[in-house]
Amino acid sequence: MRVAGAVVVIAVLEGGSGIGLARRFSAAGAAGMLIADQRPGVAEDLATELDRPGCPVVGVSGDARQPSDVAALVATAAKHLGPIDLFCVAGPDGERILPLAELPDHLDPLAELLAQIGDAISEVIPRQRGVHISH
């Protein structure tokens, strides 16, 4: 996976943290990052900390579990940073990185991205245990 020169979106889920991931991408030479966190102000503060010449960083509030928010993240990243190369999901149990170059050209890129994000989220969110009530 090539990080140098890449535009990266990092979507942080509840209980996750994108701080380490964002710092690693910045150090590896990313060309720009958009960081989205469900908690207001968190992504914006991190963007302010990491923003530098050659790697602009945009921070926004957003929920990667909502298709409308993902569409807005993609549009915002494209507007401010250019085409996205990597889409990352950071959850309470880890991280998942999706290289967008692997998306099939013949499919609707956003629909395919949403499907892959759904798969990535299911990998990084803790498995929910069923609640059993005894009578």
Side-chain angles (χ1 to χ4, degrees):
M1 172 179 48
R2 188 176 146 267
V3 174
V7 171
V8 181
V9 172
I10 301 171
V12 181
L13 303 174
E14 186 176 344
S17 174
I19 294 171
L21 191 58
R23 287 185 177 142
R24 289 193 312 266
F25 280 124
S26 180
M33 288 186 285
L34 182 137
I35 304 166
D37 198 300
Q38 293 174 295
R39 300 165 295 172
V42 172
E44 294 86 344
D45 290 347
L46 184 56
T48 299
E49 174 190 329
L50 295 177
D51 189 63
R52 62 177 171 72
C55 183
V57 183
V58 177
V60 299
S61 294
D63 185 350
R65 296 172 300 168
Q66 302 299 321
S68 60
D69 281 13
V70 173
L73 296 177
V74 170
T76 301
K79 176 181 176 184
H80 294 283
L81 306 169
I84 301 167
D85 299 299
L86 302 170
F87 197 108
C88 310
V89 178
D93 284 351
E95 304 159 349
R96 176 83 194 281
I97 301 170
L98 309 169
L100 268 60
E102 294 176 7
L103 292 180
D105 290 336
H106 65 283
L107 298 176
D108 176 357
L110 184 56
E112 183 66 18
L113 177 61
L114 289 172
Q116 288 194 17
I117 291 170
D119 292 343
I121 289 171
S122 69
E123 290 181 20
V124 297
I125 290 184
R127 301 289 179 244
Q128 301 298 312
R129 297 181 186 180
V131 177
H132 303 285
I133 302 173
S134 300
H135 295 286

